[in-house]
Every structure is written in C-alpha cells, then in structure tokens.
Amino acid sequence: MKSPKNMVTPEAIDELFDRNLQDLEAEGTRALSPHIRDLARLQVKMYWRRLEQLARQVTDTEVRLQLPAQKSPAGRTFGIEGIVDIVREADGTTTMYDIKTHDSAYVRENRQQYAEQLNVYAHIWQELRKERLDATAVICTTVPKDVEEAARRNDEAAMVRALEKWDPVIPIDFDAGGVKATVAKFGAVVDRIEGHDFTPPTHADLKARVAGARTRFAVYVCRNCDARYSCRSYQQYAKGSAATQESLLKTYLADLGDDDLRDDIGIAALEIEPPLGTG
Amino acid sequence: MSLRAEVAQSPKPIVERLWKRFDFKPNESQREAILHSEGPLFLPAGPGSGKTRVLLWRVTNLVLTHEVDLKEIYLSTFTEKAALQLREGLRTFLGAASEETGRPFDLARMYIGTVHSLCQRMLIERDFQPNRTRGRAPALLDDLDQYLFVNKSATWARLLQAAGLEPSTAHGILNAYLGGRGQSKHAAASSTIAFFNRLSEECIEPAAIDVSSDPELERVVKMYGEYRAQLAASGTRLTDFSLLQQEALAVLERGAHTGEVFRHVIIDEYQDTNTAQERIFFRLASKHRNICVVGDDDQALYRFRGATVENFVRFPERCRKHLGVAPREIPLDTNYRSRPDVVEFYGRFLNQCDWKRPKGGSYRVESKKIRPHRKERGAAVVSSAAAPPEAVAAEIAALVKKLIRTKRVADPNQIAFLYPSLKSEQVHRMMDALEAKGLRVYAPRAGSFLATPEATAMLGLFALVFGRPARGPYRGEYWNYYNWLDAAEAEGERLSKLDPMLESFIDARRAEVQRSEADYRRLLDLVARKKWDLDAGYVPKAQQRRLAECPGLSDEARRRIGSARFNLAVDRRIAEGNPLKLKYVLKRATSADWSLLDLFYQFTLFEHFAAMFDAAQRSVDPDEGPVCNLSLLSGYISRFMEQRAPTIAGDLLMESRLQNMFFGSYLYALHLRGESEYEDAEDPFPKGRIPFLTIHQSKGLEFPVVVLGNPRKDPKTQRLEQIFDPLLAGSGREPLARMAEFDMMRMFYVALSRAKNLLVIANFRSRGNRINPQFNALLGNVPEISAFDTASVPTAAIESEAAPKVYSYTGDFLAYQRCPRQYLIFRKFDFVPSRSQTMVFGTLVHRTLDDLHQLLIGARHSTAQTQ
C-alpha cells in the first residue's frame, strides 16, 4: 500500500491544480493569463514545500463556519460566514487556520483586523460547536519576491535560502471578549449596505499610507480598481499630483503601470488566441 | 434548552425545530411535501405558494433527518439566479443546523445549478465516465455565440451547400419554409437555428426522420447534419446549449452506474423542461427512484424553446412508465403573495378557456385550487377607462405618480409594467406618458440595447478612437443599424466638444492606435523583405537588432523589442526548447497597454459618465438606471474582448480589422438579434426607475404593483410547431389547433399573478386598438381607476426573502470596509472588472489547497484502516 508520503508528488499537485483550472473555465470564469497562472501554481507548490508538515496534520479542510440569526442595529436579521482549516493533533490540541493569499508583511502590520475575524470564527467553533480550540493563526500563501525569483531562475540553492527566511504562519491571539464588538460592527455594515450607503474613502484616506503595504491607499487599492476613474475621491487625488490639465491627462493616460508591469501583462497575454477567431 | 439537547430528547424531526427558529410556519401540504423522503414526488405549485421554501426545507430535511449526503442530491433550476438563491438558502439553514449539531456540510460538492451547468459538470466528472477518468467538456456556445457561429460566412456557406441551395435565393426559400419573412439572412439564420435546437432538444436524429415526401424538410435536416459536423470540426470541440444536453444524456446512457449516483433528483420549474432533459432526469433517478418535480403547468412559457408542458401534466403516467411507480401528488395551492381580489381575478381569467380534453381529462393539472392566504379584502384589481391608447397611458401614468407620491410603494422600482413584447408601440406611448409626469423608467430591452443613451455615448467614443466602417449600399435593418452608428458617432463628437480634456484623451488614444498600426506595417514589410517566416521561432541574435532598427519605427516599439523583461521571457522560451514565434514579437512590439475594457473604464473618468455613477451612489433618491446599462455594456465589451480581441495590437488594427469585427460584425449582430426578450431580468431592479419587462422576464418575480400594459396577444400557431407536429406524432402533445390559445392564456396568467397589492390593467378601445376578449368579459366587474381610492392600497413592505441573508466575512464585510464604492460597483452592479485576475487567482489557490488537504486526509484514513 502506498504511504501518504509518496502520494503527493509535484505532478500530483499539478494535476489538482489543472483540474481546478479546468473546472473554473467550465464554470465560465475568465481565463487567467499564463503569468498569473504560473504565480498561482507557484504559491500552491511553495505552500507544500514550506508547510508540508502542517498540511499533513490538517484534519478538517475548508470548514464553513456560520453565525446565524444576528440582529443589526436597524433590526435586520443576518448571518456571518467564514471558512477555516482545522488541525487537531494527536493529544487533542486544536488550531484554527485561516489561509489567505495575502502578503505576510501586510498581515503582520494589520494583525488587529485579522484577530477580529479569527475571534468571530473561534467564537463559533467554541461556543456554538462546542469544540476545543488552543490557537489561531493566519497562513499567508503569497510567496516572497526572492522565492519567486529563485523559481524563475530555477536556482535550487537560492530557493532553499529563500524558503528558510519565509515565515508564512502568523499566530493570532484569540480573545472572546472582542467578538460582540466585531459582530456589532458587522451589523452596522449590513445596515449600511442595505441602506444604500456607498460613499468611498475620502481624498485624505487615499493619500494615507496603508499599514504594512508601504504605499498609499490610492496605489494599494485604487490602482487595481477599474472604478477609480469615475470616483470623485480618486479624481481629486489625481488632480492633487498634477499641476496642469495637461499633466493630469498624462497621469491618466499612463495610469496603467510602469514599463515593467506593462511588459509583464503584455507578455502574458501574447499567446492567448481568441476562441472565436479573428475572422 | 440548546437545540443539541433537544435533538437528543425529542423524536420530532430536527427541521421542525429549525422552522421555529426561522419563523417558518408551513401549511399542511407544505409540511407533507417537505417531510416526504422516499419515492417520486409530484408538486404542482401555484403562484406565490412558497415552493422555494419547500424545496429548501425539503433538502435540509433529507440531509439532517435522512442522512443524505449533499453530493447525493441533484437539484436543477431554470436559471442561474434561482440556483444561487437556493444555494444561499441552504447555506443559511444547514449552516444554522451545523452550528447546533456540530455536523459540518459541504455545499461545494452538491449538484445544484441549471440543467446546462450540471450537464457540463457530468461531462467532466469521473462518476459519469465509463472508465472513471476525467472527461473533457466541449466549449459551449451560448445563444449569441451560436448565432455568430452560424451566421459566419464560412459556416453559412457550407450549410447552404449541404442543402443544395444557391446563395442568391437561399434566404427567401428558407424563410418561406421556416416562417421568416423576405430575403433576410438574419431571419433565415435565426429560424434555422431554432429548427436545429428543436431537433436536438427532441433528441431526433437526422437519420430517423422520414423526409421522402418532403424535400423542403430534407434540406433543413441536411443543414442540421452539416451544422453538427462543423461544430465537431472546429479546433476546440464546440457545442451549443441544446446539443450539450444530448451529449450528457449519451454519457449517462453509456455508463452502467450513472443511474445510482444520486439518491435524490429534484427539478424546479418542471413545466419548462424539454424531452432531452426529461430523459436525463429519469435516467438519473432510475436506481433510487426519488425524483421530485415542482412546477406549474399554468405558467409554462417556453414552448418555443422546446419545452413540453406535458412532461409536467402527465408526470404521474410518465413516472409509472419509466420508474414503475406512481408519484405522491401534493398540490401547493395556498397563495401567500397576492390580495384575495387578485387571486380571484386570475382564477376567473383562467376559466375563460376550455381546458377539457375531448376524451375526458384536462390539459391542466386540476388538483390545485389556488386559495389566497392574505385576508385584506377590497378591490385590488383596477382598469383604466376603455379609451384610446393615449388617454389610457395618461390615466395610468397619473395613477402611478399618485402611488409614488402617497408612498404606497417605497421606490418606483416596486411598480412593474409587463408586456407580451417590448417592441410594441404601446410600450413607447406608456413610457412617454410616465416621463411626461417626471417619472423615470428602466427598459434596456425595449428596442435595441445599443440605442440606450449610455451605450450610444460610450460606443460613439469608441468609434472616435478606432474609426468605424463606412455604410454599404444595403437597406432594411442594415440601414437602421448604420443610422444608429452615425448617431453614436455624432454623440461622441458632441461630448468631446463639450469637454476639452476628453477630446485630448481621444486624440491621444487614436494616435496610439495609428502608431501601432504603422509600426506593424513597417515590421511586416521588413519581415517580407528578409523572407522571414512569421510562424517560425524568433531568433533574437539574428533578428532583434534588425527589428529594432527598422526605419520609421516608433520609440515605444523599439523599447518593447529591446525590453530586458521581454528578452528574459524570450530566452527562457528558447531554453525550454519552445521559442516564441516571430509573429508574437511583432504583436508585442505594437500592442496597446490597454484593453477595450480598460478604455471603457477610462471613459468613465469624464463628467458625462462620472455623473451617472454619482446618481447611483447617492443614498437619497438614487437613480441606478444609467449605471445598470453601463454594467450590461461592460459585459458585452468583455465578451467581445475575450472571444475576439484579447490584445489590441497591430495585427488587429491592419486593414480596419478591429473596427470591422467590432462595429461591422459584433455590434451589428447584437442589433439584429435585438436583446432577447426572454433574457433574465436584472433583479433587483435599479432604484429610482420604473421597470418595463416582458412577461417572460417577470417569471418567478413579484411586485407590489403590476401594470399589464397591453392585454393583447393574438394566438398564432408557430411555424416550427407545424413542422414538428408530424415528427412528434404520438408523443401526447397538445393539439396543434389549441397550442397558441393555451400559450396565450398561460402567458397572461403569469403576468396577472405577479401582483401583490395592486393589479392595473390597460383597457384600450379605439380604431385598431383592442384587448383580448378574455379580458373584456372580466373588466366589466372591475372598478375603474377614476373610482378607485389609492389609500386602500397597503404600503409595500421590504421584501422578505425565503431565507435571511448570510454575509461573508471577507467577501462582504471586509470588501465593504476596504471601499464601499468598489463593493457597490462590482458586487452589487456586477460590472465586469478589467483586471479580474485577483479574484480567480484566490479561488484557484484555495480550491487546490483544499483538494490537497482532502487527499492527505483521505490517505491518512485509509492508512489507519489498513493498520
């Protein structure tokens, strides 16, 4: 009989990955560009290389937790849902993991935000499900630049060094005390959504730096958002950095990233052949 | 006591305790239906009878009480939206249950969706393949793709050739036979497609048709054979919606165990299923025989798509035939939606038709007798005075204005105008009357979608950037289309004159397009002079410098060719033994940094469009109409981009190819087809606007106030039904002579039964204007608007859904907190993002890690068992 050890080969991971890719396409999702696809594949493979031991211990995967029948300040009934992975060790010690495709530096800087989330999940797990819980943590699957670089150059020695430096597991302290406040905050957001309140962050918010991201909100969030063009806050932000109408126009015309980024996107898209042909 | 403790103590099914929690009080028949767990079940469900709730609770009960695994349940719905609603409802109920019982559940593995999406899944998944390896699904053409495929010159020529038709006379001949008109290719292609689809849905193989006495039939049958050959011959295997079902059925019939995969097969809207689907369902249920069908024959609407209402009406006998057992029949006939007056009115309407079969029995399911649950007595159906259309429109518009002013509705979008067709003159008359009262309407599908002000303005700007094809010497719809294109271009010019920055922006983008084309031409010349092969591998050593130094080349193209990043990619490919082709180097050198969708979003920077977003975003009295149209347009542009122009580069710009493809072919096809009147409506409807819908679009919806804007539809037997009648002899279908009348009755029945609090009926009477006689008889007993007190209309409450909403911590809460506006535009208005890669990326990584964990867990279990 095969031991689990030799079951998970890089080929096996490739197969799982390709199958999901195919499923996503069958579900009508837009095709990923080869560049992005490679990056996703790398994340999965590096997760396995770096966290094999942890992955082997996972006892419950993609557990859907739900906090039903909450009341918002305005009296709306709603539920909260989240997904976690659970590791139960032989001695019963139980850890809850939230896998994020985020960057670990960002998560470390914004620990509070992740703590709030995991506390709600922990509350559901302990109080509603009556399960044991000893620790919570976030796993960040975004690989550091040097891992990406080592993979690109196919440099095994550099890869070993880069992986050693990478710490994708970030423990989060859990404390049931904050849950009530988080749920109340959640309820307030539900009311704002249902009450049609969609005011964007202000111009000042856009200029502020995002903790853990070393860039402004306008770059970290807005630059990846197609709705920025019609957004008054972003328009004001863009005007602020341009002295004349002409330079403002230039800003917008060149709003699609620097040469490197444009090259990356362009190269990735080159060989995509349109399915209905160009005739 | 906690639910868990109760579970241990009480013999009552757990769902009954959950009902209390969700404040659900089922009536006796709902209860019976929910708790039924073995054997076939037949649920004729009248309008507003809570069938979605019944389905949700029934699945919940199967899982919680009868230990049915979710992946053993097949649940198919008519629309993706309905599937989404059911999935969310199950998530709520099962989520609540598992928090109490500790039993987790996995909705991701459940088969829940439209028949088509489930067919696609069955073509892939191992469970259904003969050798249990993963299958490959063919690429699916939807209605528009299918039209574009058939209409393409190359395909069409081969189809005509197969039929032995001369191109010069073919269209007239086909139209005469299939019921189209004149010499139009569009009409011929459309009705030929309808014929193809019907053959596929009825599972009729060309060889099985006796064409010996009918040379005209023989021709179109030959075309069908050639069509299938063409689909199979294309590079990626293609299929259409109708053939997809046949393919799935073939897979099911090949595999020995495919009838045991599902313990329960549940079908919603069963009255609108076709023959291929019926076979699929009975095959899936063949082992366990737990098939549950829900529907309402009185609301059958889709005969023209091959739906056979007999599948539903005769379900008991079909069930005996296929499964050897009669179903349990439980009518769901308590109406929770409408005031008693409305329910009684549509009941009387249905009785205006004789449904008796000549040899006994009925063409309807007669077990259901719709009874109102609501108690508010009083008039809830009113009609306009019998008058000419202008007067009727004015009277109704005044009533609507009053209903809004006196807050009988919370938003104008709670008043729906329903029509058999939105192409009628009555529609425009009514819209004008409402607009004259200062009211705004939402009707993207009345007329052509392209003609909406938002699409006209945006596409006009596109025409200024890319140029547009010149008008050719044709009349008819072609002429109308070019009138629109002229108007769009003029609108683009007008807007750019108003806004100097917009003008400069267009100039800059146009210059890029021209530069890109010029660069490409120069590079192509060089390649020709050097006698290089575009399809051969790129050899940087020999070619890079030559390309970069090509005379007249722009700096940007030169930069691209020399870019370190690009050359790194090139070298990597050479090292891998798979060098990049030369043609892609030319493409890279000349491609724009932006896509068509990027350009769309960039134009929203300018005041004309930015103001529309402001109007949709404001919290008081928002107007969401224009932004909803822009969102639809983002979908059309993205679709074109993905299928035909992922990258805008010199090769696409040469010889006006892009403008011909986009304006000359794609948008023209959209114009010709009109937007389908049967397309799903965008529910919920934009705030601040009164929605105009076809009755087909209103299926499954409800509104506090419904206006039946044109109670006129002349029953006319469809040509396709005449052609298929002999082919389907003996199938027990309704008699050809009655079909059109039945269908007309059912359609109006759907319209009338959408109303919750008030139903308003237009009553036209003048030269050339009248309403159907079935209404004439009834309107005598209905008060007129002038004698009606609007204060008697109950104020419309906030919609209560079948289950309370569950919000995702990350997808809703965190996304909203990051940026409420971004959340509005992409989560609520569904704009297609230009850079959607991040979302797909996350799903892909998460799913694969989940699979990896599953694999490891599974392996551990099997190791533990062997030890």
Side-chain angles (χ1 to χ4, degrees):
Chain A
M1 112 129 253
K2 275 185 183 173
S3 80
K5 177 86 191 161
N6 51 33
M7 271 192 60
V8 181
T9 56
E11 291 72 37
I13 294 182
D14 275 332
E15 199 201 317
L16 295 176
F17 186 88
D18 289 336
R19 199 182 80 186
N20 282 310
L21 199 62
Q22 204 191 342
D23 282 354
L24 277 168
E25 277 163 19
E27 286 164 28
T29 317
R30 298 162 25 127
L32 277 175
S33 68
H35 169 70
I36 303 285
R37 210 161 48 200
D38 289 350
L39 219 59
R41 196 187 294 270
L42 183 68
Q43 279 203 12
V44 174
K45 287 196 163 157
M46 290 305 116
Y47 168 84
W48 177 244
R49 256 194 91 163
R50 184 68 185 77
L51 295 176
E52 176 179 341
Q53 229 181 347
L54 193 151
R56 285 191 183 285
Q57 289 181 313
V58 170
T59 38
D60 307 74
T61 176
E62 296 255 316
V63 179
R64 207 174 274 276
L65 295 173
Q66 202 176 98
L67 189 61
Q70 300 299 303
K71 280 272 181 240
S72 75
R76 294 182 173 90
T77 307
F78 67 96
I80 299 177
E81 187 187 83
I83 294 169
V84 293
D85 288 275
I86 300 291
V87 169
R88 288 181 235 250
E89 289 168 49
D91 66 355
T93 310
T94 304
T95 311
M96 174 185 284
Y97 291 98
D98 186 2
I99 300 181
K100 302 240 180 225
T101 52
H102 297 178
D103 172 61
S104 55
Y106 180 85
V107 175
R108 282 203 175 80
E109 281 296 324
N110 295 278
R111 220 178 261 259
Q112 178 55 28
Q113 181 196 321
Y114 293 92
E116 285 177 5
Q117 183 176 0
L118 275 167
N119 281 335
V120 171
Y121 297 169
H123 167 75
I124 301 171
W125 184 254
Q126 287 183 305
E127 301 306 315
L128 295 184
R129 292 215 178 171
K130 307 282 179 217
E131 297 271 4
R132 173 174 171 175
L133 189 62
D134 299 283
T136 56
V138 172
I139 297 175
C140 307
T141 60
T142 296
V143 296
K145 281 279 167 239
D146 47 356
V147 171
E148 217 180 293
E149 194 52 40
R152 181 157 45 217
R153 285 187 282 115
N154 217 351
D155 182 341
E156 183 54 27
M159 180 61 91
V160 171
R161 280 195 305 276
L163 283 176
E164 246 166 52
K165 274 198 300 180
W166 180 33
D167 186 7
V169 181
I170 299 162
I172 302 279
D173 294 334
F174 72 99
D175 154 32
V179 170
K180 232 179 169 171
T182 308
V183 172
K185 211 153 83 176
F186 200 114
V189 163
V190 168
D191 282 339
R192 287 173 65 191
I193 291 172
E194 298 295 328
H196 202 84
D197 176 358
F198 298 106
T199 317
T202 63
H203 173 216
D205 295 333
L206 262 61
K207 285 203 293 192
R209 296 199 172 275
V210 174
R214 277 189 242 118
T215 47
R216 294 163 189 261
F217 188 90
V219 176
Y220 191 75
V221 176
C222 304
R223 279 298 279 279
N224 292 311
C225 173
D226 298 310
R228 68 184 177 283
Y229 296 105
S230 55
C231 174
R232 301 301 182 183
S233 299
Y234 189 82
Q235 288 179 356
Q236 207 183 343
Y237 169 83
K239 263 182 207 146
S241 55
T244 60
Q245 280 286 32
E246 205 176 312
S247 65
L248 177 61
L249 181 64
K250 273 213 179 105
T251 313
Y252 279 121
L253 282 168
D255 201 8
L256 299 147
D258 58 15
D259 284 355
D260 281 353
L261 179 64
R262 292 185 295 129
D263 276 345
D264 280 347
I265 296 174
I267 294 164
L270 269 186
E271 288 170 289
I272 302 176
E273 289 295 346
L276 282 187
T278 48
Chain B
M1 191 179 345
S2 81
L3 201 73
R4 181 178 277 199
E6 272 184 64
V7 173
Q9 288 179 13
S10 161
K12 270 190 166 182
I14 174 171
V15 279
E16 300 204 21
R17 285 183 296 276
L18 281 173
W19 291 345
K20 212 192 281 175
R21 178 139 164 206
F22 285 96
D23 202 18
F24 175 54
K25 299 182 192 76
N27 61 39
E28 219 17 70
S29 38
Q30 287 179 327
R31 198 189 141 85
E32 246 183 277
I34 291 167
L35 299 182
H36 176 96
S37 62
E38 283 294 322
L41 180 61
F42 180 38
L43 300 177
S49 60
K51 73 176 166 77
T52 305
R53 258 175 234 260
V54 168
L55 281 181
L56 283 174
W57 284 114
R58 185 159 181 271
V59 173
T60 306
N61 186 49
L62 289 175
V63 172
L64 295 179
T65 314
H66 301 280
E67 310 269 320
V68 178
D69 195 321
L70 277 170
K71 66 172 196 277
E72 298 172 312
I73 300 176
Y74 176 101
L75 172 50
S76 105
T77 58
F78 194 69
T79 61
E80 291 295 347
K81 204 185 88 191
L84 192 76
Q85 274 176 353
L86 284 174
R87 200 179 284 124
E88 284 193 353
L90 284 177
R91 188 166 287 171
T92 304
F93 295 154
L94 291 172
S98 72
E99 296 321 340
E100 299 276 353
T101 61
R103 245 184 77 194
F105 63 92
D106 185 10
L107 267 178
R109 313 279 157 187
M110 181 178 174
Y111 267 73
I112 174 168
T114 60
V115 186
H116 297 112
S117 68
L118 296 178
C119 281
Q120 266 183 306
R121 238 176 107 175
M122 290 191 292
L123 288 178
I124 299 175
E125 296 214 343
R126 288 193 170 90
D127 282 349
F128 298 94
Q129 310 306 322
N131 47 4
R132 295 190 62 82
T133 54
R134 246 173 110 68
R136 255 209 114 80
L140 181 62
L141 303 176
D142 70 9
D143 292 354
L144 179 59
D145 296 333
Q146 187 187 20
Y147 173 84
L148 292 169
F149 178 80
V150 168
N151 202 38
K152 211 161 65 173
S153 321
T155 323
W156 189 242
R158 300 195 71 137
L159 296 183
L160 295 187
Q161 203 182 8
L165 287 166
E166 286 299 320
S168 56
T169 52
H171 303 159
I173 294 174
L174 286 170
N175 284 335
Y177 179 63
L178 293 169
R181 250 176 291 169
Q183 304 291 323
S184 154
K185 177 186 175 192
H186 162 69
S190 303
S191 47
T192 307
I193 290 170
F195 175 81
F196 291 171
N197 291 347
R198 190 58 176 273
L199 276 181
S200 307
E201 276 148 8
E202 297 290 355
C203 299
I204 301 176
E205 281 304 315
I209 305 173
D210 175 16
V211 292
S212 53
S213 60
D214 190 343
E216 290 189 297
L217 179 64
E218 183 179 12
R219 261 201 300 257
V220 279
V221 168
K222 279 188 172 157
M223 288 173 82
Y224 177 64
E226 178 62 24
Y227 167 68
R228 289 177 49 166
Q230 289 287 314
L231 286 177
S234 56
T236 36
R237 193 160 60 93
L238 296 174
T239 193
D240 62 41
F241 274 131
S242 310
L243 285 167
L244 175 70
Q245 299 169 156
Q246 270 201 19
E247 290 198 37
L249 182 60
V251 165
L252 292 180
E253 286 176 347
R254 262 203 310 274
H257 306 291
T258 54
E260 346 184 318
V261 177
F262 299 110
R263 272 173 71 187
H264 286 269
V265 175
I266 304 169
I267 320 297
D268 193 10
E269 305 279 8
Y270 198 76
Q271 77 281 0
D272 284 323
T273 54
N274 59 42
T275 303
Q277 290 165 357
E278 186 191 48
R279 289 198 195 168
I280 290 174
F281 300 144
F282 277 119
R283 171 69 194 172
L284 288 176
S286 55
K287 170 78 192 303
H288 298 286
R289 301 195 289 190
N290 293 321
I291 182 171
C292 163
V293 306
V294 191
D296 185 1
D297 49 301
D298 295 333
Q299 299 186 59
L301 287 175
Y302 286 93
R303 186 190 303 278
F304 66 94
R305 276 193 191 161
T308 38
V309 65
E310 296 79 19
N311 290 352
F312 188 76
V313 177
R314 301 190 156 191
F315 180 72
E317 57 181 275
R318 303 274 168 100
C319 216
R320 279 193 295 272
K321 183 177 152 203
H322 293 287
L323 303 179
V325 49
R328 172 85 178 281
E329 179 171 346
I330 307 173
L332 302 174
D333 49 12
T334 303
N335 176 295
Y336 292 88
R337 176 183 297 155
S338 311
R339 289 171 69 193
D341 192 34
V342 175
V343 176
E344 281 150 25
F345 183 82
Y346 59 67
R348 284 200 301 277
F349 175 78
L350 216 49
N351 289 335
Q352 299 293 306
C353 172
D354 177 10
W355 298 92
K356 284 197 289 292
R357 282 177 196 273
K359 288 178 193 159
S362 169
Y363 291 109
R364 292 181 58 224
V365 175
E366 292 208 309
S367 59
K368 57 185 186 314
K369 308 261 179 276
I370 314 299
R371 283 176 302 264
H373 175 80
R374 291 176 64 175
K375 300 281 174 273
E376 309 107 294
R377 282 279 151 198
V381 183
V382 296
S383 84
S384 71
E390 288 77 11
V392 169
E395 190 183 16
I396 291 177
L399 172 71
V400 165
K401 176 95 183 170
K402 194 167 172 196
L403 290 169
I404 293 172
R405 188 168 44 79
T406 56
K407 303 245 183 297
R408 299 296 98 190
V409 289
D411 191 281
N413 73 1
Q414 293 184 321
I415 304 176
F417 279 74
L418 306 185
Y419 291 84
S421 161
L422 287 177
K423 310 282 184 244
S424 142
E425 230 178 283
Q426 308 292 15
V427 172
H428 294 279
R429 213 172 263 137
M430 193 66 239
M431 290 202 280
D432 291 345
L434 290 168
E435 275 162 4
K437 292 265 175 214
L439 299 168
R440 292 180 299 227
V441 304
Y442 186 68
R445 283 169 180 134
S448 158
F449 170 72
L450 295 180
T452 59
E454 298 79 20
T456 304
M458 181 62 80
L459 295 169
L461 296 177
F462 271 57
L464 296 184
V465 171
F466 297 107
R468 45 154 285 193
R471 191 191 286 258
Y474 311 106
R475 311 297 300 179
E477 277 308 319
Y478 179 91
W479 188 257
N480 295 337
Y481 173 74
Y482 276 85
N483 286 346
W484 168 79
L485 190 51
D486 288 347
E489 197 180 24
E491 175 65 2
E493 265 158 16
R494 188 185 69 83
L495 292 174
S496 76
K497 288 282 172 301
L498 288 174
D499 184 342
M501 194 157 113
L502 171 58
E503 195 171 19
S504 313
F505 182 86
I506 293 169
D507 288 345
R509 287 285 182 249
R510 190 196 293 125
E512 280 177 66
V513 166
Q514 288 166 350
R515 184 195 70 206
S516 170
E517 189 196 344
D519 281 341
Y520 191 80
R521 199 179 296 280
R522 290 191 175 96
L523 291 171
L524 216 51
D525 284 348
L526 178 73
V527 168
R529 280 200 308 277
K530 297 281 175 199
K531 300 202 168 58
W532 290 336
D533 178 0
L534 279 175
D535 280 310
Y538 174 46
V539 188
K541 258 192 207 139
Q543 297 173 317
Q544 185 184 337
R545 210 171 53 107
R546 297 258 160 81
L547 287 173
E549 288 174 1
C550 177
L553 203 63
S554 73
D555 292 346
E556 177 62 16
R558 196 164 290 137
R559 180 194 79 74
R560 299 275 187 89
I561 294 167
S563 145
R565 261 208 152 46
F566 178 61
N567 285 298
L568 200 68
V570 166
D571 291 344
R572 207 172 75 175
R573 290 289 295 267
I574 293 174
E576 287 166 7
N578 176 26
L580 198 66
K581 287 177 182 170
L582 181 59
K583 66 177 178 188
Y584 293 125
V585 178
L586 266 62
K587 199 166 147 187
R588 178 62 203 134
T590 60
S591 65
D593 287 325
W594 38 273
S595 68
L596 288 175
L597 209 48
D598 287 324
L599 188 65
F600 166 87
Y601 284 110
Q602 287 165 358
F603 278 133
T604 64
L605 161 66
F606 300 98
E607 205 46 39
H608 182 73
F609 299 105
M612 297 177 191
F613 285 87
D614 292 346
Q617 190 188 310
R618 66 178 175 237
S619 51
V620 182
D621 196 17
D623 178 11
E624 302 180 335
V627 161
C628 285
N629 282 343
L630 284 177
S631 167
L632 284 178
L633 185 56
S634 76
Y636 285 121
I637 292 176
S638 132
R639 176 194 188 103
F640 173 80
M641 186 178 106
E642 277 175 20
Q643 296 183 330
R644 304 185 158 220
T647 315
I648 303 171
D651 57 338
L652 261 191
L653 297 165
M654 290 275 287
E655 292 151 6
S656 312
R657 280 173 77 189
L658 182 67
Q659 48 168 286
N660 284 333
M661 276 161 50
F662 188 61
F663 290 107
S665 153
Y666 181 70
L667 293 184
Y668 181 47
L670 282 184
H671 166 87
L672 282 177
R673 281 170 43 89
E675 190 37 63
S676 161
E677 304 206 336
Y678 311 109
E679 204 92 353
D680 293 346
E682 297 74 41
D683 175 37
F685 295 92
K687 284 200 167 68
R689 302 231 161 188
I690 298 166
F692 275 58
L693 287 86
T694 63
I695 294 170
H696 283 83
Q697 287 182 318
S698 75
K699 177 181 172 176
L701 303 178
E702 57 181 28
F703 299 89
V705 178
V706 164
V707 180
L708 179 57
N710 190 10
R712 161 112 183 244
K713 168 90 182 169
D714 300 332
K716 183 173 166 278
T717 307
Q718 296 302 309
R719 178 65 189 137
L720 209 54
E721 297 305 331
Q722 292 170 341
I723 296 175
F724 273 87
D725 209 50
L727 302 180
L728 296 172
S731 68
R733 65 197 225 121
E734 292 171 346
L736 193 59
R738 302 293 308 278
M739 270 177 202
E741 181 198 357
F742 289 164
D743 288 348
M744 176 274 296
M745 291 301 294
R746 292 178 182 128
M747 184 191 66
F748 281 125
Y749 181 78
V750 168
L752 302 174
S753 57
R754 302 304 94 198
K756 292 164 80 170
N757 298 335
L758 181 65
L759 172 63
V760 183
I761 296 172
N763 189 2
F764 302 123
R765 192 179 301 160
S766 67
R767 267 182 80 114
N769 287 290
R770 58 175 184 85
I771 59 174
N772 272 29
Q774 294 84 356
F775 286 101
N776 272 329
L778 296 178
L779 291 189
N781 299 319
V782 158
E784 289 189 3
I785 292 172
S786 55
F788 179 68
D789 177 14
T790 49
S792 70
V793 181
T795 42
I798 294 168
E799 306 295 303
S800 65
E801 295 189 27
K805 215 170 158 188
V806 176
Y807 290 84
S808 149
Y809 200 102
T810 47
D812 293 300
F813 179 60
L814 292 181
Y816 180 90
Q817 283 192 312
R818 185 169 55 239
C819 177
R821 187 174 181 275
Q822 186 181 47
Y823 180 87
L824 171 74
I825 290 171
F826 297 104
R827 277 287 278 212
K828 192 156 174 254
F829 288 132
D830 251 348
F831 274 78
V832 179
S834 168
R835 295 183 182 173
S836 63
Q837 311 267 357
T838 19
M839 255 160 40
V840 187
F841 184 94
T843 315
L844 182 57
V845 171
H846 277 120
R847 281 198 196 173
T848 311
L849 292 182
D850 180 30
D851 287 345
L852 179 62
H853 293 152
Q854 298 273 20
L855 188 75
L856 293 164
I857 293 167
R860 239 189 354 252
H861 282 294
S862 61
T863 316
Q865 276 166 14
T866 41
Q867 277 164 0

